[in-house]
Amino acid sequence: MITTEPVGEWFWEPSLVLDAAASGASRPLALVGEVRDVLASLGLVTGGGTGSVVLCDRSAMAHPLFERRDVPVAAMAEQVAAVRLLPGRQLTVSLVLPGEWLETGIRRRAEKLFGVRVEVWGEGAVLLVLSTYADAWLTQDLRERPQPEVAAENAPRLAAALKRISELTESPIDPGDATKHARPTAEGFADLLVEGAEYDDSWGTFEVPARWKRLMRLVPGASEGEDYESSTEHPVRYAHVRRGEQVVGYLWAAVGDEAAGYEPRTAAGDAAFEAGVPWVLSLRSLRLRGFGPMAALNELLGVADGSGSGSAVEPAVHEAASLDALEELSARH
């Protein structure tokens, strides 16, 4: 299952940058690239990815002096060259990396499988952070179902990556605190089949509400009283929403009550949430015009988004036994 917030994180403190003003800006760019190469050598990341470059005065972190986001990896060097690292400042260089994991030998892909972040202070301190957004390394999934075979296929590669990064940075690994989903260790994650998860069904308890809030923050205007109900206990019918060849989400309507909405396919990354905005607005408009949920879904079948996002709703309708089942589908494939 793919999450929007990290399943786990690991930290390293490489050696200080001796002359941050002269070379501090190039150090994080080189380091994130080296970590990316480590992950790629183990088949964990597969090309592409985007980055960000943020320079802040540490007394005013909410107001960056320089900020570039969603930068193609190939253009990162140009952006980093535009900043100057001085005492009292902090430079953060980050990458969002697509990657693959295995399920019974079948390769699965997510557009945001790992995140790599390097922070450098103007005084020379360096912090490296690796994050993962999948449960493929865990002995049970985020719904507490045992998956030892999946962990056996994937966890050794993650463990090898963590070891190589420690060797690369010549610094010990510091596993981050336990998250809502799992507890990181120096070798990957604690065995949940032995010690159990800290929370029951962390996917349904935390991730589903977080996804909905993230989507609604992107939707302009007030929604109170204008949208269909966002949850249902009834079966749902749904259609794939595509952007080009990629499925980015699912437009759905309940069979039997007043619920309808859009579920982002988290394996598609940020594009899943961005593509959902026009469809949430379309549903809102149809509800205000008196359409019932199923009539609204039927109205949008085969329609292309007119706002320029490049997404379209497929004409074929599918059925899921519940919204919960559709939400799980959106996290897995």
Side-chain angles (χ1 to χ4, degrees):
M1 302 179 82
I2 303 301
T3 59
T4 56
E5 297 180 355
V7 173
E9 294 186 312
W10 300 267
F11 301 80
W12 294 263
E13 294 185 14
S15 58
L16 299 177
V17 176
L18 298 180
D19 186 353
S23 62
S26 61
R27 177 70 183 281
L29 180 63
L31 193 49
V32 295
E34 290 167 349
V35 172
R36 179 174 177 266
D37 290 344
V38 166
L39 297 171
S41 71
L42 293 163
L44 293 169
V45 304
T46 53
T50 58
S52 65
V53 179
V54 181
L55 179 68
C56 295
D57 189 305
R58 291 202 304 277
S59 65
M61 295 292 287
H63 304 284
L65 302 170
F66 179 92
E67 183 176 22
R68 297 291 186 273
R69 298 192 182 274
D70 298 322
V71 179
V73 170
M76 289 287 286
E78 179 182 351
Q79 300 301 324
V80 170
V83 305
R84 188 179 179 199
L85 189 58
L86 299 173
R89 292 182 176 180
Q90 177 180 310
L91 174 63
T92 302
V93 177
S94 307
L95 293 180
V96 171
L97 297 172
E100 295 181 341
W101 71 97
L102 297 171
E103 290 183 17
T104 59
I106 299 173
R107 291 193 173 275
R108 306 291 189 187
R109 177 183 171 89
E111 299 306 312
K112 187 179 181 181
L113 190 60
F114 289 97
V116 182
R117 183 176 84 250
V118 175
E119 300 173 359
V120 180
W121 289 24
E123 293 78 10
V126 182
L127 177 68
L128 165 65
V129 185
L130 176 69
S131 308
T132 186
Y133 296 85
D135 67 358
W137 340 103
L138 307 182
T139 52
Q140 66 181 31
D141 71 10
L142 302 186
R143 308 212 84 162
E144 299 180 278
R145 293 171 298 208
Q147 54 172 25
E149 297 86 0
V150 174
E153 287 182 293
N154 299 287
R157 290 186 297 150
L158 176 62
L162 298 176
K163 181 180 178 182
R164 290 190 194 179
I165 294 170
S166 294
E167 294 169 349
L168 170 70
T169 59
E170 298 181 333
S171 63
I173 187 172
D174 176 14
D177 294 335
T179 67
K180 302 178 181 74
H181 306 299
R183 181 170 67 82
T185 68
E187 293 77 32
F189 287 98
D191 187 347
L192 296 181
L193 293 178
V194 173
E195 64 175 52
E198 188 169 354
Y199 297 98
D200 295 336
D201 185 17
S202 64
W203 164 261
T205 303
F206 299 107
E207 182 63 20
V208 170
R211 295 193 329 163
W212 184 82
K213 289 177 182 177
R214 178 179 175 184
L215 174 61
M216 296 310 293
R217 281 197 298 268
L218 297 175
V219 179
S223 62
E224 187 172 354
E226 296 186 356
D227 291 332
Y228 296 103
E229 295 296 323
S230 60
S231 63
T232 179
E233 298 299 322
H234 292 268
V236 299
R237 291 178 183 156
Y238 66 94
H240 296 83
V241 177
R242 286 188 178 272
R243 179 182 280 180
E245 297 299 314
Q246 185 181 47
V247 175
V248 291
Y250 307 93
L251 199 66
W252 62 270
V255 180
D257 65 14
E258 293 301 305
Y262 170 87
E263 281 300 321
R265 177 178 169 264
T266 44
D270 293 341
F273 293 87
E274 296 162 2
V277 173
W279 303 112
V280 172
L281 292 174
S282 294
L283 287 173
R284 182 179 296 174
S285 174
L286 289 168
R287 183 179 184 277
L288 293 175
R289 290 164 54 192
F291 283 69
M294 199 59 63
L297 175 63
N298 291 335
E299 185 75 6
L300 295 174
L301 295 176
V303 173
D305 167 37
S307 70
S309 76
S311 63
V313 181
E314 288 190 344
V317 176
H318 311 272
E319 186 159 335
S322 64
L323 178 57
D324 180 77
L326 178 59
E327 289 167 343
E328 183 167 325
L329 172 69
S330 71
R332 286 194 171 277
H333 300 292

